[in-house]
Amino acid sequence: MARDRGGSGLTVVIAFTANFAVATAKTVAAVLTGSASMVAEAAHSWADTGNEVFLLVAERKSGRAPDTDRPLGYGREAYVWSMLAALGLFVAGGVVSVYHGIREFGAAGETGSYTVGYIVLAVAFCLEGVSFVQAYRRTRAEARALGRDLLDHALATSDPTLRAVLAEDAAALVGLVIAAGSMALHQVTGDGRYDAVGSILVGVLLCVVAVVLFDRNRRFLTGEVADERIHQAVRARVEALPGVQRVGHLRLEFVGPRQILLVASIDLPGDESESHVAVRLRDLEQQLERVPQIVDAVLTPAVPSDR
């Protein structure tokens, strides 16, 4: 739950720089080779580059502090812009690649220069690898802190930019392997259909990744609750507050990346008047809101049904 927006921003900047360089190189190689797989890879990288712009906007807009118009902050902006990035990956990357592969199937001829294609793919693999390692390390560190597997955390994290960069870079590395294999089969057999199939496979891969990212952002945008580990940690923190005997009902809902709305009922000792209880509850709420990840806390006295 560590609140490190700067780390996510650095991850996106590294991804943008790598994707822009890779997209430019792939475009040149696609023109020189005429490879359908290379065209698909170029489309993929340009889609990723554009998506990083959406993710940077998501970081900036979601990081604004709460105000009178948005008392819970602007955290959900991150999911809106990340959904647009996923949509861009689906259309500009996946659909374009599949369409190009189908159009070139059975019509592709010899490529112009396999050597240029292989060199560009190798350089692209290195650049994409740098971006992937940055996202992987950050995701692994967060996963260990929460006691999750890396893949589970990548799907469950409330940080959509980290999830998007990790998924897109992983897809990029797999896509490069597919493109290299397709070009090699085209070179060995002289059959351009292998190259076209490579383009289709890259496109399908991007479509699958885009759908997963879109669905995860949809879930957080419509109200994703925290998992059991976070519930246990927050329950322990609330019960540790002075004067709290027990926590009854507890609901934790994400309202942004690493930002939670806390609603709970608690047992308080004594038999004080309603006004005194209200003051005590507000004091406890303010103590909880000092935790950076808790945007707002709402506490009520527990009733028998909460037991």
Side-chain angles (χ1 to χ4, degrees):
M1 288 292 295
R3 195 173 189 176
D4 183 7
R5 304 304 301 278
S8 294
L10 176 62
T11 301
V12 176
V13 170
I14 292 175
F16 174 83
T17 303
N19 283 321
F20 182 80
V22 168
T24 302
K26 286 179 181 177
T27 301
V28 173
V31 173
L32 294 176
T33 64
S35 166
S37 296
M38 189 62 72
V39 171
E41 278 298 305
H44 176 187
S45 291
W46 282 119
D48 281 352
T49 303
N51 289 346
E52 306 310 332
V53 175
F54 282 119
L55 296 180
L56 287 171
V57 173
E59 281 287 297
R60 184 179 66 83
K61 287 186 172 292
S62 66
R64 288 181 292 175
D67 54 31
T68 54
D69 293 331
R70 296 288 189 275
L72 295 181
Y74 293 81
R76 285 195 172 107
E77 286 264 13
Y79 306 119
V80 174
W81 291 95
S82 296
M83 285 180 73
L84 292 176
L87 183 62
L89 180 66
F90 183 87
V91 176
V95 173
V96 169
S97 298
V98 171
Y99 170 78
H100 183 74
I102 293 174
R103 192 183 67 175
E104 294 295 317
F105 192 83
E110 290 291 330
T111 57
S113 174
Y114 294 106
T115 302
V116 171
Y118 292 136
I119 291 175
V120 168
L121 290 177
V123 172
F125 195 90
C126 293
L127 292 175
E128 294 283 8
V130 170
S131 178
F132 175 78
V133 168
Q134 167 70 13
Y136 175 84
R137 287 176 175 173
R138 182 168 167 77
T139 306
R140 183 181 60 182
E142 291 186 3
R144 285 179 175 176
L146 289 171
R148 291 171 174 163
D149 293 333
L150 186 138
L151 182 58
D152 289 340
H153 181 65
L155 293 173
T157 179
S158 62
D159 186 346
T161 57
L162 180 62
R163 175 170 43 246
V165 172
L166 181 70
E168 290 176 5
D169 286 346
L173 293 175
V174 174
L176 289 168
V177 173
I178 292 174
S182 299
M183 284 182 57
L185 288 172
H186 185 182
Q187 180 182 14
V188 171
T189 65
D191 189 346
R193 288 178 295 183
Y194 287 109
D195 209 9
V197 169
S199 179
I200 295 172
L201 290 176
V202 169
V204 171
L205 172 66
L206 298 183
C207 287
V208 171
V209 171
V211 168
V212 172
L213 292 177
F214 191 93
D215 180 67
R216 294 308 302 170
N217 285 301
R218 176 193 61 80
R219 291 170 64 104
F220 278 95
L221 189 60
T222 55
E224 180 81 344
V225 297
D227 67 16
E228 185 59 30
R229 292 185 183 91
I230 297 176
H231 265 81
Q232 291 175 0
V234 173
R235 181 179 291 274
R237 178 178 285 272
V238 176
E239 290 179 341
L241 292 173
V244 176
Q245 291 184 326
R246 185 188 64 86
V247 176
H249 168 77
L250 175 64
R251 179 175 177 84
L252 304 173
E253 181 177 317
F254 285 103
V255 295
R258 303 178 183 85
Q259 298 174 9
I260 281 182
L261 168 64
L262 184 158
V263 179
S265 62
I266 60 174
D267 275 336
L268 295 173
D271 189 17
E272 298 179 343
S273 65
E274 183 177 338
S275 60
H276 284 97
V277 170
V279 171
R280 290 185 61 187
L281 288 175
R282 185 55 193 145
D283 178 65
L284 294 173
E285 290 171 348
Q286 291 174 341
Q287 291 184 50
L288 289 170
E289 289 165 2
R290 295 191 188 106
V291 178
Q293 296 82 17
I294 299 177
V295 176
D296 192 21
V298 180
L299 300 178
T300 59
V303 296
S305 60
D306 292 334
R307 298 180 184 276

